[in-house]
Amino acid sequence: MLSIAVCDDEVLQCCTLSNKIREILEQRNLSCTIRQFYNGNALLQEAGHFDILFLDILMQGLDGLETARRFRRQASDQILIFISSSRDYVWNAYDVEAFHYLLKPIDERKLAAVLLRAVQKTRKHPREYLVIRRERQQKKVFLDNIRYFEIRGRMIEVHETADRFAYYEQIRVLEDRLQGKGFFRCHKSFLVNLNYVDSYNRQELLLDNGERIPIAKRRYDDFCAELLACMRKNGGIL
């Protein structure tokens, strides 16, 4: 299922664009979830959760260009499509690797063409994700945004690159779901994304953001083997 965000400080235009996107995708039997945001700060709190982002440039407070710059620091590979009533910022869009630049009022045929091209691009490089139940809602969480899971009693705390939250899950169930996905349970309380491991010794591993995670003695050899396999798979070692 596609996850799409629309950010525009004009509420009516944000709703209208969201409805058009949904109609275009439904006509082609493509399922999606669409979240609406009315300012850049609200969007940035959940930046890593979307496949495609439609972002207005001329917004009050944090404008679209600055929002896009900060968005790119958290979500380097998501598809970004600018929407604006002005042509003045077309060249700035290249600085944040925008996929396209749509002028308001948005022509529906143009929107459909750009949207479907964006969908095709997401399919060439599909991102794996979990769907978890949190606060009576289903939440889509991309695996490549997760540094590690921390087990706290009956709760599992998810440590993402830009967020942290907890939900109820049995750790053994989570381990099964992540089998073969690049995660390793290096300690009874930690399930780590191996792609974020920067260095390690027999006592602990160091993540790319400086966090330290303990390694259980009996898991050390298996950890080394799993890390080596992950590096080979991702081209990190010949």
Side-chain angles (χ1 to χ4, degrees):
M1 178 183 291
L2 287 164
S3 182
I4 297 173
V6 179
C7 184
D8 191 325
D9 62 347
E10 295 188 34
V11 177
L12 181 58
Q13 291 196 31
C14 189
C15 293
T16 300
L17 178 56
S18 298
N19 290 335
K20 286 182 178 179
I21 291 170
R22 190 181 302 279
E23 289 173 9
I24 291 167
L25 294 176
E26 286 181 348
Q27 287 171 3
R28 292 157 178 84
N29 296 316
L30 296 171
S31 58
C32 68
T33 60
I34 301 176
R35 292 282 306 279
Q36 296 177 24
F37 299 91
Y38 309 122
N39 62 76
N41 286 317
L43 169 70
L44 291 171
Q45 292 179 16
E46 301 191 46
H49 297 152
F50 307 105
D51 299 303
I52 302 171
L53 166 62
F54 287 83
L55 177 61
D56 185 27
I57 290 182
L58 301 176
M59 296 192 295
Q60 295 293 323
L62 194 66
D63 66 35
L65 288 172
E66 181 58 30
T67 298
R69 293 186 188 101
R70 298 184 189 184
F71 175 81
R72 275 291 179 241
R73 293 173 200 153
Q74 302 176 34
S76 60
D77 58 348
Q78 278 91 326
I79 295 174
L80 170 62
I81 299 170
F82 277 123
I83 51 178
S84 180
S85 57
S86 171
R87 297 178 181 271
D88 295 344
Y89 306 95
V90 171
W91 295 111
N92 300 87
Y94 287 100
D95 294 337
V96 289
E97 300 177 42
F99 181 74
H100 213 284
Y101 192 105
L102 291 170
L103 284 172
K104 296 180 179 180
I106 299 173
D107 179 82
E108 192 162 338
R109 286 184 295 180
K110 182 69 172 178
L111 172 62
V114 171
L115 175 58
L116 295 176
R117 280 174 49 214
V119 171
Q120 284 298 112
K121 186 174 180 181
T122 65
R123 288 179 169 177
K124 289 179 182 178
H125 303 283
R127 300 177 68 205
E128 295 184 287
Y129 60 88
L130 289 173
V131 176
I132 65 174
R133 183 168 179 79
R134 176 175 175 247
E135 298 176 354
R136 298 182 180 181
Q137 292 184 336
Q138 301 293 325
K139 181 178 178 66
K140 184 177 181 180
V141 183
F142 289 104
L143 298 186
D144 57 8
N145 284 337
I146 300 170
R147 282 195 171 92
Y148 64 93
F149 297 91
E150 184 175 2
I151 297 87
R152 294 178 175 270
R154 296 169 55 196
M155 301 288 291
I156 291 181
E157 192 167 272
V158 184
H159 293 255
E160 293 186 296
T161 54
D163 193 15
R164 185 170 66 183
F165 62 90
Y167 74 105
Y168 287 100
E169 175 87 277
Q170 292 182 13
I171 183 58
R172 294 192 181 280
V173 173
L174 179 60
E175 276 191 281
D176 288 342
R177 295 175 71 187
L178 294 174
Q179 191 70 34
K181 306 296 184 184
F183 285 80
F184 183 79
R185 193 175 178 187
C186 60
H187 184 276
K188 66 178 182 180
S189 299
F190 294 93
L191 186 61
V192 175
N193 186 338
L194 296 172
N195 291 297
Y196 286 101
V197 175
D198 189 61
S199 62
Y200 65 94
N201 56 42
R202 287 187 172 274
Q203 287 75 45
E204 64 182 11
L205 57 87
L206 182 69
L207 300 184
D208 68 326
N209 65 343
E211 288 189 80
R212 297 178 184 274
I213 306 294
I215 302 178
K217 286 183 179 180
R218 65 184 181 87
R219 301 176 191 263
Y220 178 76
D221 290 341
D222 288 339
F223 166 78
C224 292
E226 288 289 330
L227 182 61
L228 183 61
C230 180
M231 292 171 67
R232 282 175 172 157
K233 179 180 178 181
N234 295 324
I237 189 170
L238 296 178

